[in-house]
Structure formats: structure tokens, C-alpha cells
């Protein structure tokens, strides 16, 4: 298929912006969605033949559905959809804030649900397509000072695991991207040393490599992924003792 169409939601900065460039270089016709239209337009100027701006908000399900129809009408069938929009704010116990939980859940979790609702019907009707959900290694275990964020990412992993079997039976691939720490404006909010910190270029390269295998999960960097995977296997009592040491560090 010449110039297959990819829809990248959450493309205006960070991993999304770098991934847009990589997809365009690889020959994809990429529809870019984010709230900040001016950033999308600036990004499209680098490769106007391959990148197209379709501004939208993941908290608007009707708007996303309309965008999906418009993209397919103007560019063609969406073969790859990457649901990458997300928000992050660290929160310690003294700053416990219900509104922060609500905000992150609406963007990180329900934003993906809205994206799935927009893109799945056409893919299911065609019996093909690939959907990638950007979750996080932070969804493996509850990490100190990350309760609002980590809960959304754990929910995304569970969501993908729940939907994958039925979608696979219909020819649609649903997968998750689980990054570790990547240097972006969001992780710049952290005030601790982030282990195995990656650049957005390294993260985008890992995702591009992952597009060509059949694994359910694309996770990186491998050392941190291994570490978090081992923590996932620990008995709760042992893990929580380790977590208490993280708090006191």
C-alpha cells in the first residue's frame, strides 16, 4: 500500500512530535491531532506532503468521531492510530487534589476511550488496522507521588488487555506502548533523578522499531522495563516496603 494513513493523536510536543517526523520519513501520510493548532501547523511545515493538521481535543468524543470521518474522507482509510495524548502532574500526600485525579483521568484514560470509539468502527468494518495506546511503565506498580498519573496508565493497560482478544479476532491489532522516563515538558516537572532517562528521539526510535513486530507491548528502555517488570512480580508486602524507602529517599 502506497502512503498508508496514520492518525497520531497527541502530536504537538514530546514523543508525539518526534514520532510524527519519523512516520513521515518512513512514508506514512500522517494526520496530526492535538489541541494546539499552531504547533501542529509548525510541525507540518517540515514535511507538508506527508503531515496534515487536524486539531482536536480528546475530551470531546463527538469532535474526535467527526475528525475520524474527515481524515478518512480526505486522506483515506486509517491503517494506524496512535493514541498518545496525555497529561502529568506529580502529587504528594500533602497536595492531595481530587480535581487533579479527575483532570488526568479525563485526558489520559477517557481521552483514549474516546479515540477508540472514533477509530474502531471503520477498522472493524474493514477487518484490518493497528491501534497503539501510549500507557507507561508507571502503570505496572503504584509509585510514590504518582497516584493520579499511575492510576490512569494502569487503567489503560487493563483496557487494552480487555479489548485485544475481540479486536484480534476481527483482524484489528491493539497494542500498548509503555515508556519509562522520557525528557519532555511533562517530566521536567519531576524533582528527582529519573533512572534511564531517554530523549524523545530515542523513544520515537524504539516505537518505530516496535511497529514491525507482533508483540502486544512496546516497552523501553529495556533495563528500566526489566526492573519495573520484576517489581510487578514481587509480593505486595515486599514491594510496599521498597516503596516506603522511595518516599524517605
Amino acid at each position: 500500500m502506497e502512503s498508508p494513513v496514520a492518525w497520531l493523536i497527541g502530536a504537538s510536543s514530546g514523543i508525539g512530535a518526534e514520532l510524527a517526523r519519523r512516520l513521515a520519513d518512513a512514508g506514512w501520510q500522517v494526520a496530526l491531532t492535538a489541541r494546539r493548532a499552531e504547533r501542529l501547523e509548525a510541525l507540518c511545515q517540515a514535511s507538508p506532503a506527508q503531515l496534515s493538521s487536524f486539531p482536536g481535543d480528546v475530551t470531546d468524543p463527538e469532535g474526535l468521531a467527526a475528525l475520524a470521518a474527515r481524515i478518512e474522507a480526505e486522506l483515506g482509510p486509517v491503517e494506524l492510530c496512535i493514541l498518545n495524548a496525555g497529561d502529568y502532574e506529580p502529587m504528594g500526600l500533602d497536595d492531595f487534589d481530587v480535581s487533579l485525579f479527575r483532570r488526568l483521568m479525563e485526558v489520559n484514560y477517557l481521552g483514549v476511550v474516546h479515540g477508540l470509539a472514533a477509530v474502531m468502527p471503520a477498522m472493524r468494518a474493514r477487518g484490518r488496522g493497528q491501534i497503539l495506546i501510549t500507557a507507561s511503565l508507571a502503570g505496572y506498580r503504584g509509585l510514590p507521588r504518582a497516584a493520579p498519573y499511575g492510576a490512569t496508565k494502569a487503567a489503560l493497560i487493563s483496557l487494552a488487555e480487555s479489548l485485544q482478544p475481540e479486536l484480534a479476532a476481527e483482524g484489528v491489532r491493539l497494542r500498548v506502548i509503555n515508556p519509562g522516563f522520557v525528557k519532555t515538558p511533562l517530566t521536567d516537572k519531576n524533582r528527582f533523578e529519573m533512572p534511564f532517562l531517554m530523549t524523545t528521539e530515542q523513544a520515537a526510535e524504539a516505537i518505530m522499531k516496535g511497529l514491525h513486530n507482533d508483540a502486544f507491548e512496546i516497552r523501553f528502555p529495556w533495563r528500566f522495563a526489566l526492573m519495573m517488570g520484576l517489581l510487578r512480580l514481587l509480593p505486595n508486602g515486599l514491594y510496599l516496603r521498597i516503596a516506603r524507602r522511595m518516599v524517605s529517599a
Side-chain angles (χ1 to χ4, degrees):
M1 183 181 299
E2 294 184 3
S3 297
V5 176
W7 186 13
L8 176 53
I9 301 176
S12 61
S13 64
I15 296 174
E18 184 60 32
L19 193 54
R21 301 183 188 99
R22 299 294 181 104
L23 288 167
D25 290 343
W28 289 86
Q29 187 75 31
V30 191
L32 306 178
T33 295
R35 289 179 298 178
R36 293 172 289 187
E38 70 284 354
R39 293 203 176 188
L40 295 182
E41 292 294 343
L43 191 57
C44 289
Q45 290 176 9
S47 185
Q50 298 297 123
L51 300 176
S52 303
S53 174
F54 292 85
D57 189 334
V58 296
T59 65
D60 176 12
E62 292 80 11
L64 279 190
L67 273 184
R70 182 181 156 207
I71 290 167
E72 297 229 341
E74 295 183 15
L75 301 181
V78 174
E79 302 295 336
L80 169 67
C81 181
I82 303 178
L83 302 171
N84 180 66
D87 196 2
Y88 168 72
E89 194 73 44
M91 188 203 75
L93 188 59
D94 290 341
D95 300 312
F96 195 92
D97 182 359
V98 173
S99 65
L100 178 59
F101 283 87
R102 182 178 294 110
R103 188 186 93 202
L104 296 194
M105 188 61 71
E106 287 178 350
V107 174
N108 294 359
Y109 180 73
L110 289 177
V112 167
V113 172
H114 298 159
L116 289 170
V119 78
M120 284 193 304
M123 286 189 175
R124 293 178 64 194
R126 288 189 291 266
R128 70 173 193 270
Q130 180 175 186
I131 304 169
L132 295 178
I133 294 172
T134 300
S136 172
L137 293 174
Y140 279 16
R141 274 292 197 175
L143 297 174
R145 303 184 181 92
Y149 177 79
T152 66
K153 297 305 183 177
L156 287 177
I157 294 170
S158 178
L159 172 70
E161 291 173 345
S162 297
L163 296 177
Q164 193 275 347
E166 289 183 272
L167 284 173
E170 297 185 358
V172 180
R173 299 175 66 199
L174 178 62
R175 309 169 66 195
V176 292
I177 303 168
N178 283 329
F181 292 107
V182 179
K183 183 168 178 51
T184 69
L186 293 181
T187 56
D188 285 344
K189 298 176 182 180
N190 288 331
R191 294 295 177 263
F192 56 87
E193 184 176 348
M194 292 172 277
F196 308 105
L197 182 66
M198 302 179 73
T199 65
T200 54
E201 291 81 5
Q202 290 171 323
E205 181 179 357
I207 294 169
M208 291 299 295
K209 287 181 179 178
L211 288 179
H212 303 295
N213 64 47
D214 294 326
F216 170 69
E217 180 184 20
I218 301 172
R219 62 181 191 170
F220 53 86
W222 72 266
R223 290 181 180 87
F224 191 54
L226 178 61
M227 179 190 305
M228 291 300 296
L230 291 174
L231 289 177
R232 199 181 196 182
L233 298 174
L234 291 179
N236 289 333
L238 178 55
Y239 171 71
L240 291 173
R241 284 199 295 273
I242 294 171
R244 284 195 289 273
R245 293 179 182 176
M246 296 181 197
V247 172
S248 60

